[in-house]
Each structure stands twice: as C-alpha cells, then as structure tokens.
Amino acid sequence: MSDIAKKIEQLRDEIRRHDYKYYLEAAPEISDQQYDRLMDQLKVLEAKHPEFLTPDSPTQRVGGEPISGFKTVEHARPMMSIDNTYNQEDLLAWHGRVIRGLGANYDGSIQYVCEPKVDGVAINLRYVDGRLVLGATRGDGRRGDDVTQNIVMIRSIPRKLAPIKSLQTPKVVEIRGEVFLPDAEFDRINESRKQAGEEPFANPRNAAAGTLKQLDPNVVARRRLGFIAHGSGEMSDAPFSSYSQLLTAFKAWLVPTNRLTKICHSIEEVWQFIENFQTTRAELPYGTDGVVVKVDRYDWREQLGCTSKAPKWCIAYKYAAEQAATKLIRVDWQVGKTGKLTPRATMEPVFIAGTTVQHATLHNLGEIRRKDIRLGDTVIIEKAGEIIPQVVQVVTEKRDKHVKPIVPPEKCPECSGDVEAELDEAGKETARYCINSECPAQFRERLIHFAARGQMDIEGVGEEVVDQLLKAGMVSQFADLYRLDERKLANLTHTSITKGGKEVEVRLGEKNAAQILASIEDSKSRGLARVLSGLGIMHIGATTARVIASNVDSIDDLLSAEEEIVRATVSETGGSSKLKSAKTSAATIQAAIHSIDGKHRFAELRKDAKGKSDEDLVRRFFEPDGDGMSVWQAKWGQKKKEQIIGHFASLGELQAARVNDFVHLFDEEVVGKSLYDFLHSKKGQHTIERLKQVGVDFRSHDRAKLSGHASLAGKTLVVTGTLVKYSREVIEAVIRKHGGKATSSVSKNTSYVVAGESAGSKLEKAQQLGVPVLTEAEFDRLISG
C-alpha cells in the first residue's frame, strides 16, 4: 500500500507542476489530453483507495456543494492599504522620506522591489503545516469574508505548498496577493452572459469580486480566475531577511508570482521601470493600473514602520486617469437617506479604461451650475478605475443651440412629495431635498445605514434584503426590524437569472432567516452611541455620537434637557467654535478638496468603492498619512472630521462642496441644534419610543464619570501594532469606556502607548519622549485598577 500512496502523491505533484506551468508561466509542457489522462489516473487510484484521499488533492477542486453564506473572520495581521503617488516628484519625495527614516542605517545604497499593480481582489491565504486552511478577502483590513470554498477552486493557488529541500516550511504562513480575471476569460464570460440574456459584468475586477462571492463553488471553477502573490501576513519561524528571498520561496512552493517583478538598486532604476512598464502593460493578459515599489530588506521595513492605514516602506505609482468625450442625453434624480436629490447622468456609450460607460455622477445641483452642464452637451468624463465615473468638464466649443438647461424636479421623483431648496450665503440654490418624512426612498437608505456595520451591525441586512423587506411591506420604521416573523422572513424571495437566461425566484431560507434574527436580537444591546449614529440625524456621525454618549447616562437625559445642555454634549469641552476659526478651517478644506492631490485622492477612493459605504469613503478621504499632514488633511480634531463625514452623503457631494457648506460644521451649536430638533420632533420621539418598546437599549455604554472610579480618567492613549485580544476598534472603545481618550499620534501629552506586535514608529517616538509603554496584559491590569 505504501507504493500506491507514493504513486498517488507523485501524480499529485506532477499535476500541480503542470498547473503551475500552464496557469502561471503560460508554458505548458503537455497537451490537454495528456493532462486529462494524468487526472483520470489519479481519480481512479483515489476511488480504489479512498483512505489516501486528502482535501488538498487536485481532484478536489471541482464538485463542491453550494454554501448558504460567508462568515466573517479576523485577520491575524491587518491587511493594510498602500499609499499612492501620481508623478515623479512625489515618488522622489517618498524616497527621501525612506532615506530619512533609515537615518544612520542608510549606507548610501538601497534595494527596491518593483511589481506591476494587478487590478484584482486582495486575498489572504493561510497555510498551516503547508496545507491551505483559509482564504479570506481583505474586507475592512481587519476583518474579511471566509471564501475558502471558492479559493480552492482556483487552479493557480496551491492547496499544498511544495516542500523545499533546503528550507523548512514555516508551520504557519500567510500568503497575500491578488485574485484576478484574465481579459480573455472576462470577454468569454460576458459573451456567454449576453447570449443567455444576462447583464454583462462591468469590468474584470468586478467580475473577479463577484465570482469570489458566489455561493456555488462550481461557478468559481468554471471561471478561470488567476492569482499572483505579492506579500505575506502572519509567518512563524520565518527564515527570510528580505522580500526578494520570500519571492524565491514562493516560486519553490509553486506559489504564483509576477514574472515582471524587478529588483532596482536606485530610485532612478525604479523610475525607468515605471516608464518602461507604462508602454508595455497593455500587452499583458490581465489589467494593471500602476507599479508597487517596496523596500526589500525586512529589518529596514521594521524600522520605517507604518501609519494608521499604510506601510511607510512601500508606495504605489498610479498612472493617470483615462478621459473620454461623450454626449449627455438625460439626467435622473435619485433620493438619499437625508432626502437630498442627487443627479445621475445618462450619456452616449463610450469606451474608457477597459469598459463601456453610459452613466456618471453629477454630484449635486450646485456642481451642475458651477460647471454649466446642459442636456445635449459634449462632456469629458474621467475614470480612474472607479465603477461610476464623473463628469470633469463641458466642451463648450462643441455646444450647439439645441442644448437645454438641467432643471431639478419640482416634486420628489420617488414619492411625488414637496421638495425644498438649499441656498448658500449668496442666495444661490445648491441642492434640493424631499421634505416628505415618509418618502420610501429615504427610508430605504436610512434603513440600510441603520443596519450597517458601523451602526447597529445587523449581519445579513444589506441592500438586497432591505429591498425584499420593503417590497413585502414588512418594515416601515426601524422598530419593525425587531418584530419580523421568522417564517415570513424565510419566505422572502428575489429574482435570479439562471445560466440559461431564465428568471427564477430564490428564497432567503430558514438558515439565513435564523441568522438574521439572531443578529437583530444582538443589536438591541449596542448602546446609545451606536443607536444615535444609526438614526441618521443630520451632522451626527459615529464619533460625534460617542462624544454625546460619553456625557449622558441615557437618551432620557437628552430628551429632558434644555437646548443649551444638548448643545454642550456635542463638544468634549462644552464650548463652541468661533465663526472666524470655522471659516478658516472651511477654507482649508475647500483648497484641499480642489487641489491636484485631493482630486487624485478622490479618484483612488472611487476605484476601491466596491463594497464600501459612502460614509466610509468620505471618512477615508480624511485619514492622516502619518508623514506630516497632506494637503487634504488639515489639522482638525477627529470630531470635526466626523461632523463632515456625517454631513456629506457621498464623495461626490464632498468634492462638489463650497466653503459655505463647511462653515456651520465647525460650530457645535449647529450640530447640537440638529440633535435637539430631532429629539423634540414628532418623528424623532415616535422613532425612539417605538425602538424602546421593542427592547433597544438607549443607555450609554460610553459614559465616563470622571472620578476616581474611572481608571483612565483624564488619560490619553495611543494604540500601535497588532494586538492579540483586541481589534483597534474594540480597544479604543474600552479606553473611552474607562474615561480615557484614544488618539492616533504620540506627543509629550500622551499618557500611555499600548504596543502590540510589529509596533513601528509610534513605539519609537514614545520611547524617545519617555512615554510609558504598555503591553496588552499591562493595559488590562491598568483598566481593572
């Protein structure tokens, strides 16, 4: 039997090697018929000797059973994003920061690794004892979806790492890279979908992302996804001192790497690689949008550290956005959760950035009038990889006498209710709002926001389920979520299109219904801050809601308080900003948003828009980069940023905003009045009372009684590195709960730094300033008194 086991393993190794040659090197050594014969031999042996069948066998890549959904998993190490640059000057500036960061360790020479930036979906592959045990999407960087059952269907991803004679494979190794759909496969799938009467995919990246979220692994197997590794996560007993060494190991393990990767020994070589690749990247069989440049040595990476969102030791050079001219045919108006009417352009189809585009955002009425956009105009649209491009400008020299002005609706396009104009200080109309509080379109957006992860965190209640609930008439207010009948919920259906083009009704099902109801029940105990944030009150974002909740014991304190007291809860100091200071801050934002760097920031965020909420994208626009404040990151407090985030419903609204739109956001009186008006309106009181009746907890979990009982009262803490017990969000909530303040930068006023694994520059700065550094265990002892 040992001879049979050896024969089976030899066949598996041979098939894996041929998979690598075919899918990664595009250099097959045998014909398809010969490959099929090898696979048939293996299947026969495994059928006769099932005791030798293992989950990582090549025969197990097909025939998987459909699954009911995806669970969320925590990444062992965060999957951080990468900062971007768009010109040689910025690239040289980054190189300068690297040299300064290395200090005395820089000996006059440096080695960079340059890789094409594949336009795909970021994935983390976890191997234990050389076997693939988990495949997870990036998600929010700390948590992603477990898509293992679909990952194993991708032939270019090894289920078992090939052993290296000279190297002991680490017991745990996480390999990170991009799952992508080759252009030829994308064309094949779209042609098949068109013939079947189905909607074609917008672009290869969307198709890859959608494929990974298929509940039927057999669909994944039929779509020939590719994978290219570009880094690592957790790794035990790592014997590598550089990234180039790791890439060598990847190749030996038969893990796909990019054959165009190049080691450069100067920033001049890096720039030459970027210029050369720009002229050849169109010839590749998959999409790319730039070049990633990385410091090779791991000890230097450790020294350079990371910001809150991205490593300082790497950067992505992004090629300029593509533009195209087309004609504006009509404008439709969509209704947001605040009632704001947002214009959406329909244009003559135009091919840009690899896809055919017919729709674009016009942001808001003020933007339309500022750019003087008219129906029938020839317009320039720009697409930096985002799903819906934007109208950049009008080609006025091509305007003819038949163009017509864009007229905003006099009634709400969804409910036919009255609309109200919003004016700036000069009396010019900038937007229109539906003022019907019962507008179904507004309620849909508010309900999606209420159930989202940053608010009540109700798993399973996304856009699709919300639409099903509304269609079935099962919800008309937030409280109705907590009265859902399990049988009716399970019987909800949505229309799906089969491979043959037939429409079929698909039930939500008992299992999904039970999971949704369990999550709804859990959401009752989220506490005051999360409920306030979820209600969608104008100007009340997540951080502002936490500030309010830290000053009261429950919602009842706010309901019974005078307006001046309610306003005071909005500010950590209880005061209000001066108008002059507000105008200065607003002008700074205005300049930042319309700068070149700001526009690049918008373009990059739009590219990553898939699966992100509008609020999250606006929030990311204001995230600091840790290397000094960038042009769009003026020195405002976090609470001020959250006020902006809570006010602008999308990147488009933020980009189109003028100075006057921001001024009132820097005045706590306006935010406090918005809260007071909601709490004392019939609608607000009705909403709160109904939620109380179904058991939603309106008590504060953030109340910090600044006395001897609050272990962190008056203390400021900074968290850095990867923690074992806490996620960043959770530990910052714990800090606030115990009376402390969580900030992102270390200064002489910092009370403590909590340092986890791979802590970088913040730990070094704390040591330089003499700030006490705590481990997780020491932090736990501190908060327990």
Side-chain angles (χ1 to χ4, degrees):
M1 295 301 291
S2 60
D3 290 339
I4 293 174
K6 188 180 296 184
K7 175 62 176 176
I8 288 174
E9 199 54 44
Q10 286 174 346
L11 278 171
R12 290 172 180 168
D13 287 342
E14 188 174 0
I15 290 171
R16 290 177 187 129
R17 189 176 68 81
H18 287 305
D19 281 341
Y20 184 86
K21 299 292 289 184
Y22 182 89
Y23 289 101
L24 278 308
E25 295 186 351
E29 296 178 340
I30 59 176
S31 67
D32 289 348
Q33 292 83 356
Q34 290 171 312
Y35 178 90
D36 291 340
R37 280 199 291 271
L38 289 174
M39 186 68 79
D40 289 340
Q41 290 178 41
L42 179 58
K43 288 177 180 178
V44 169
L45 284 175
E46 288 179 342
K48 288 183 177 179
H49 306 281
E51 66 273 21
F52 296 132
L53 181 62
T54 59
D56 56 25
S57 172
T59 63
Q60 302 305 297
R61 288 194 188 272
V62 293
E65 291 297 318
I67 58 177
S68 59
F70 300 95
K71 65 179 181 181
T72 300
V73 293
E74 193 96 13
H75 297 307
R77 290 188 177 179
M79 294 184 71
M80 307 186 83
S81 58
I82 301 176
D83 284 335
N84 300 312
T85 182
Y86 297 86
N87 54 59
Q88 185 179 21
E89 182 181 356
D90 289 344
L91 179 69
L92 293 173
W94 170 77
H95 171 67
R97 292 195 297 272
V98 169
I99 300 305
R100 290 192 298 274
L102 294 176
N105 287 331
Y106 177 62
D107 57 6
S109 63
I110 192 167
Q111 187 162 292
Y112 290 119
V113 178
C114 294
E115 297 173 316
K117 189 174 185 299
V118 178
D119 193 14
V121 181
I123 289 291
N124 185 70
L125 308 174
R126 185 176 179 87
Y127 291 83
V128 177
D129 293 326
R131 297 180 185 275
L132 179 64
V133 298
L134 174 68
T137 62
R138 181 180 182 273
D140 62 6
R142 296 190 173 276
R143 296 190 300 170
D145 290 327
D146 180 350
V147 291
T148 309
Q149 191 151 338
N150 287 339
I151 285 295
V152 298
M153 296 296 142
I154 303 174
R155 288 194 175 274
S156 54
I157 294 178
R159 299 186 68 173
K160 180 182 179 182
L161 298 179
I164 305 175
K165 294 180 181 179
S166 60
L167 175 68
Q168 180 71 32
T169 304
K171 180 174 179 60
V172 176
V173 56
E174 290 185 339
I175 299 171
R176 291 175 175 175
E178 297 291 313
V179 168
F180 63 92
L181 192 66
D183 293 339
E185 183 66 10
F186 172 71
D187 293 338
R188 182 191 70 80
I189 292 172
N190 265 358
E191 184 59 34
S192 175
R193 291 176 70 86
K194 289 176 184 177
Q195 291 177 3
E198 301 176 26
E199 186 72 20
F201 288 116
N203 54 54
R205 186 178 186 275
N206 289 352
T211 301
L212 285 178
K213 298 306 292 287
Q214 286 285 328
L215 298 180
D216 185 355
N218 292 290
V219 175
V220 185
R222 291 194 296 268
R223 296 178 184 172
R224 299 153 195 161
L225 293 170
F227 173 77
I228 292 180
H230 56 52
S232 62
E234 182 181 11
M235 190 178 299
S236 60
D237 308 318
F240 312 110
S241 62
S242 67
Y243 179 52
S244 53
Q245 287 185 2
L246 178 65
L247 289 177
T248 300
F250 281 173
K251 293 175 183 177
W253 288 334
L254 300 185
V255 173
T257 57
N258 201 307
R259 59 185 177 83
L260 298 178
T261 298
K262 179 178 174 58
I263 295 175
C264 298
H265 298 89
S266 68
I267 197 64
E268 290 76 19
E269 280 190 46
V270 169
W271 181 247
Q272 189 63 52
F273 179 89
I274 289 170
E275 286 191 312
N276 292 343
F277 182 61
Q278 184 172 12
T279 63
T280 60
R281 68 191 185 102
E283 301 170 7
L284 293 175
Y286 50 83
T288 61
D289 57 1
V291 172
V292 179
V293 186
K294 305 175 182 178
V295 172
D296 190 27
R297 285 176 52 171
Y298 283 151
D299 59 336
W300 283 8
R301 289 187 181 187
E302 182 70 23
Q303 183 178 343
L304 291 167
C306 304
T307 69
S308 61
K309 68 180 183 71
K312 296 181 181 180
W313 43 262
C314 73
I315 198 163
Y317 181 91
K318 304 297 288 293
Y319 296 113
E322 290 190 37
Q323 293 185 337
T326 184
K327 181 169 284 188
L328 177 60
I329 300 173
R330 74 170 190 270
V331 174
D332 299 310
W333 296 82
Q334 300 173 321
V335 185
K337 69 176 185 290
T338 64
K340 179 175 278 189
L341 306 184
T342 303
R344 179 174 183 257
T346 297
M347 307 162 298
E348 290 181 352
V350 60
F351 190 78
I352 180 173
T355 61
T356 299
V357 171
Q358 195 170 6
H359 300 288
T361 177
L362 292 174
H363 305 307
N364 59 30
L365 182 59
E367 182 77 348
I368 289 173
R369 291 179 173 169
R370 186 176 71 84
K371 293 179 177 177
D372 190 23
I373 305 172
R374 305 181 191 183
L375 292 173
D377 266 337
T378 297
V379 295
I380 301 296
I381 60 172
E382 183 176 276
K383 186 171 186 287
E386 68 274 18
I387 299 168
I388 300 178
Q390 59 178 323
V391 173
V392 179
Q393 67 183 73
V394 175
V395 185
T396 53
E397 56 267 28
K398 291 188 177 182
R399 175 177 286 170
D400 61 38
K401 62 181 180 180
H402 300 295
V403 298
K404 298 178 181 179
I406 296 172
V407 180
E410 297 294 331
K411 295 288 185 179
C412 173
E414 293 289 340
C415 70
S416 300
D418 291 337
V419 296
E420 190 174 272
E422 180 183 71
L423 307 178
D424 61 18
E425 289 187 354
K428 293 182 179 179
E429 184 177 359
T430 58
R432 289 192 181 185
Y433 287 83
C434 170
I435 58 175
N436 175 18
S437 61
E438 304 301 321
C439 177
Q442 291 183 52
F443 179 65
R444 175 187 183 273
E445 298 301 319
R446 289 199 299 270
L447 188 59
I448 292 169
H449 174 78
F450 181 81
R453 180 173 292 178
Q455 283 67 246
M456 300 304 280
D457 195 12
I458 302 176
E459 292 287 343
V461 181
E463 291 188 26
E464 186 175 287
V465 170
V466 166
D467 287 338
Q468 292 175 50
L469 290 170
L470 293 173
K471 182 180 179 181
M474 294 171 65
V475 292
S476 60
Q477 55 185 327
F478 295 142
D480 289 340
L481 281 176
Y482 299 90
R483 300 190 184 96
L484 291 175
D485 178 80
E486 185 169 358
R487 181 182 59 82
K488 291 182 179 179
L489 184 62
N491 285 328
L492 286 178
T493 61
H494 71 277
T495 302
S496 180
I497 308 240
T498 66
K499 185 180 178 182
K502 293 183 179 180
E503 290 189 355
V504 295
E505 293 295 314
V506 180
R507 289 177 71 246
L508 185 65
E510 285 73 13
K511 184 177 180 180
N512 287 332
Q515 291 173 343
I516 288 173
L517 290 177
S519 186
I520 289 174
E521 184 65 27
D522 288 343
S523 75
K524 290 180 180 179
S525 60
R526 302 285 188 240
L528 178 60
R530 299 285 285 276
V531 184
L532 283 178
S533 176
L535 290 176
I537 306 168
M538 184 71 79
H539 310 320
I540 307 297
T543 297
T544 303
R546 286 197 297 267
V547 171
I548 295 167
S550 69
N551 286 304
V552 296
D553 288 316
S554 74
I555 192 73
D556 296 328
D557 293 344
L558 295 169
L559 290 168
S560 61
E562 298 293 331
E563 185 174 341
E564 292 75 15
I565 303 300
V566 174
R567 287 204 304 263
T569 65
V570 174
S571 172
E572 293 173 326
T573 61
S576 63
S577 303
K578 299 297 183 184
L579 186 60
K580 181 178 179 181
S581 175
K583 286 185 175 179
T584 300
S585 298
T588 305
I589 300 174
Q590 181 64 34
I593 286 172
H594 291 282
S595 67
I596 293 175
D597 284 348
K599 290 178 181 177
H600 283 315
R601 180 82 161 180
F602 277 111
E604 182 58 27
L605 288 175
R606 282 199 178 91
K607 178 180 179 182
D608 196 29
K610 184 71 174 177
K612 302 289 192 308
S613 69
D614 291 328
E615 180 179 303
D616 180 54
L617 292 173
V618 178
R619 174 175 287 107
R620 290 174 62 193
F621 183 86
F622 291 102
E623 285 180 351
D625 62 10
D627 293 317
M629 305 304 284
S630 295
V631 67
W632 56 81
Q633 296 154 356
K635 298 179 180 178
W636 319 301
Q638 183 62 25
K639 184 165 71 69
K640 299 299 184 188
K641 296 177 187 176
E642 290 295 337
Q643 290 174 18
I644 297 169
I645 293 161
H647 180 69
F648 294 101
S650 69
L651 283 179
E653 291 183 14
L654 177 63
Q655 192 171 32
R658 315 308 298 168
V659 173
N660 292 331
D661 295 334
F662 292 102
V663 173
H664 72 278
L665 295 177
F666 289 84
D667 187 345
E668 278 83 1
E669 289 188 10
V670 174
V671 182
K673 185 178 188 305
S674 176
L675 175 61
Y676 181 84
D677 288 347
F678 174 83
L679 294 173
H680 289 80
S681 67
K682 288 184 179 179
K683 176 185 174 183
Q685 292 179 349
H686 176 84
T687 298
I688 292 167
E689 182 58 32
R690 292 292 185 270
L691 287 172
K692 280 184 174 182
Q693 289 175 0
V694 295
V696 173
D697 184 7
F698 279 90
R699 293 173 299 176
S700 174
H701 296 180
D702 299 76
R703 175 62 159 160
K705 299 182 184 301
L706 301 183
S707 65
H709 299 292
S711 54
L712 300 180
K715 306 293 185 184
T716 300
L717 288 83
V718 174
V719 181
T720 183
T722 304
L723 305 177
V724 175
K725 177 179 177 182
Y726 301 101
S727 69
R728 186 65 54 88
E729 182 183 69
V730 169
I731 194 170
E732 289 180 352
V734 171
I735 290 169
R736 292 191 296 270
K737 179 179 178 182
H738 288 80
K741 183 177 180 181
T743 63
S744 59
S745 58
V746 180
S747 71
K748 62 181 180 181
N749 297 319
T750 304
S751 306
Y752 300 102
V753 168
V754 183
E757 185 181 355
S758 301
S761 58
K762 292 180 184 178
L763 175 59
E764 294 176 8
K765 189 170 183 179
Q767 293 168 339
Q768 293 170 2
L769 296 175
V771 175
V773 177
L774 305 176
T775 63
E776 274 187 85
E778 290 168 337
F779 172 78
D780 286 338
R781 287 197 292 272
L782 179 63
I783 62 175
S784 66

